[in-house]
Amino acid sequence: MIPVTGTAQIYEAMQDVKNRGPGFVTNFFSTEAKLARWVDKRELSIAPSDRSVILLRRDRDFEHLYFFASDLAAVRAALQGQAGWTTPLVADLIGREAEILESAALFVDLGYRHHTRLMRLSRIGGGSRVAPPSPDAELALASDAAEVLAMLEASFDRHAEQLPDEGEIAAAIAQGCILVVRDGARLAGLLFFERTGLTAYVRYWLVARAFRDKGVGARLMHGFFARCPDARRFILWVIADNENAIKRYAHYGFKPDGLVDQVMIRYSSPIQRAGFMGEKNG
Amino acid sequence: MLKGIRPEFDFAASSDFIADGLLDSFDMVTLVADLDKTFSISIDGVEIVPENFKNIETIRALLQKHGITT
Ligand SMILES: CC(C)(COP(=O)(O)OP(=O)(O)OC[C@H]1O[C@@H](n2cnc3c(N)ncnc32)[C@H](O)[C@@H]1OP(=O)(O)O)[C@@H](O)C(=O)NCCC(=O)NCCS
């Protein structure tokens, strides 16, 4: 693997694969801004080859694996050549159910296990549908960043939920994209969102265990809708068996839109796997 | 066609679907599947790039390459 020092290195390698054509398969859906940030933080390494490019992104104690290739056979060839990797690897396979079956089977063949699955929910149309509860959620302050990070890391699955680092949280706070509800000096809950034009994304909606089922989540969600009055579409990814959250999202008008993310993981040894077990969401 | 997929948006009013948040990179993949099915064509992976899905004109040009005039 070669360290990535600029985004051009990635785009050129991708273009090479595309030029060889005719087909193209990938699990890489990052935006340019995100990619640039990963490059700046020196998190990326790349293995370009004839008909494929493998990109790894370091994240905490594992790496995300992305591929761009002419076809799945080229992905297989590239990954078989890298069987000696020692860090746990996580690959997200994204698409409609039927479209990812083949790639999931390939990854199982390569020694990956089904880790979990996320589904995308969307809600069409803006505005809160009921009167907002009071008092309103407030914007997080710069001084909340460390606590926000600690809460996210304690409650979400780092392998599957693309957890931010403190820098990303600080940036989101500066942009007014993290709402919180406080209980004295600590945070009772938070909602982290993103905006792109007419679409708003819920990234994390979290209420500390002791405060659940008391309307804190509602204050955050209504606060979010109120801060996105011009959004026409709301999107989020949720772990597919998180019924507690899904029924609430359904209550707010979110429905599955058919996209799924099958998260595959490969541990390099049984000991490593044991060390990574026993952690869970929410 | 686009209206059918995302009825909430006024596609005609946008010249950059991606920047305006009308389509994201995941939507491009599903849109391709829908275009393939609707028009019985097969858009190559190579063509699934933001430039081809920027606005109505670029999508029309892509369909034209596959022999579809809209
Ligand atoms: C999901 C979570 C944030 C909800 O927070 P909460 O404070 O318990 O939520 P609330 O009690 O305020 O309920 C939120 C809304 O759901 C409604 N609701 C409650 N129980 C419901 C049920 N069984 N079915 C449907 N709606 C329900 C509430 O009435 C409220 O709606 P309202 O605004 O119309 O009043 C919280 O359970 C949590 O942190 N879970 C772990 C993290 C997680 O799974 N996050 C989501 C994935 S990103």
Side-chain angles (χ1 to χ4, degrees):
Chain A
M1 300 297 295
I2 310 163
V4 175
T5 51
T7 52
Q9 206 177 337
I10 299 167
Y11 289 124
E12 279 163 23
M14 282 169 67
Q15 197 53 49
D16 281 351
V17 171
K18 287 185 175 182
N19 290 345
R20 274 183 211 108
F24 189 65
V25 292
T26 188
N27 69 336
F28 187 76
F29 296 96
S30 176
T31 59
E32 267 185 75
K34 274 197 180 133
L35 193 61
R37 198 158 37 74
W38 297 339
V39 171
D40 283 348
K41 289 174 57 204
R42 304 190 179 287
E43 290 175 353
L44 299 177
S45 53
I46 192 169
S49 73
D50 233 23
R51 293 173 58 238
S52 68
V53 180
I54 301 296
L55 188 68
L56 294 185
R57 173 165 72 89
R58 196 167 24 79
D59 182 357
R60 297 170 172 82
D61 51 2
F62 67 102
E63 305 214 55
H64 297 272
L65 182 144
Y66 307 103
F67 57 82
F68 324 87
S70 311
D71 51 32
L72 288 177
V75 177
R76 178 189 291 276
L79 293 181
Q80 273 168 343
Q82 311 279 1
W85 282 339
T86 52
T87 355
L89 295 171
V90 173
D92 292 86
L93 306 175
I94 299 164
R96 286 186 177 140
E97 179 82 47
E99 294 155 6
I100 58 171
L101 289 177
E102 206 185 332
S103 49
L106 165 66
F107 275 82
V108 168
D109 248 21
L110 291 165
Y112 286 70
R113 297 156 18 90
H114 289 267
H115 173 61
T116 191
R117 164 177 289 222
L118 293 106
M119 58 182 182
R120 200 170 84 157
L121 307 183
S122 16
R123 172 196 199 260
I124 304 310
S128 209
R129 288 170 190 181
V130 282
S134 59
D136 191 14
E138 51 187 284
L139 290 176
L141 305 172
S143 53
D144 293 321
E147 193 178 351
V148 168
L149 178 63
M151 282 177 76
L152 294 177
E153 287 191 329
S155 301
F156 290 99
D157 175 350
R158 68 189 182 287
H159 293 128
E161 300 190 90
Q162 316 287 331
L163 293 185
D165 58 24
E166 204 168 329
E168 202 179 341
I169 292 172
I173 290 176
Q175 288 162 8
C177 289
I178 300 186
L179 296 172
V180 294
V181 168
R182 294 180 197 280
D183 175 56
R186 56 190 273 230
L187 298 181
L190 65 94
L191 191 151
F192 184 150
F193 65 98
E194 272 172 19
R195 286 292 310 263
T196 301
L198 297 174
T199 299
Y201 298 84
V202 180
R203 282 199 56 189
Y204 309 99
W205 182 35
L206 176 63
V207 171
R209 237 172 245 286
F211 299 94
R212 288 186 193 163
D213 277 318
K214 298 186 167 79
V216 174
R219 281 164 61 185
L220 290 161
M221 193 55 82
H222 290 277
F224 161 62
F225 288 133
R227 280 172 178 80
C228 302
D230 51 342
R232 305 295 310 140
R233 179 170 67 145
F234 297 86
I235 287 183
L236 59 92
W237 288 89
V238 62
I239 303 266
D241 63 5
N242 184 354
E243 284 165 24
N244 172 67
I246 292 170
K247 67 190 178 199
R248 286 177 167 79
Y249 284 133
H251 168 76
Y252 289 120
F254 287 90
K255 295 191 186 84
D257 67 10
L259 272 186
V260 296
D261 172 0
Q262 178 62 51
V263 185
M264 308 298 292
I265 191 159
R266 201 197 80 162
Y267 303 99
S268 55
S269 70
I271 297 169
Q272 199 177 57
R273 182 179 149 197
F276 280 86
M277 302 288 272
E279 32 177 76
K280 205 42 220 161
N281 187 15
Chain B
M1 171 70 207
L2 285 170
K3 270 244 72 79
I5 298 171
R6 301 255 172 274
E8 66 277 22
F9 292 137
D10 180 5
F11 282 90
S14 169
S15 61
D16 192 340
F17 296 165
I18 315 271
D20 291 345
L22 274 55
L23 291 180
D24 64 19
S25 46
F26 301 117
D27 295 319
M28 273 196 289
V29 175
T30 48
L31 176 60
V32 165
D34 290 336
L35 291 173
D36 281 0
K37 211 164 112 203
T38 310
F39 297 110
S40 302
I41 54 174
S42 172
I43 296 173
D44 285 345
V46 199
E47 294 168 324
I48 309 173
V49 287
E51 300 88 271
N52 283 338
F53 296 91
K54 208 168 169 208
N55 53 47
I56 297 277
E57 290 316 313
T58 60
I59 295 179
R60 190 170 283 148
L62 176 67
L63 290 175
Q64 250 162 28
K65 259 178 69 184
H66 290 267
I68 307 292
T69 41
T70 54

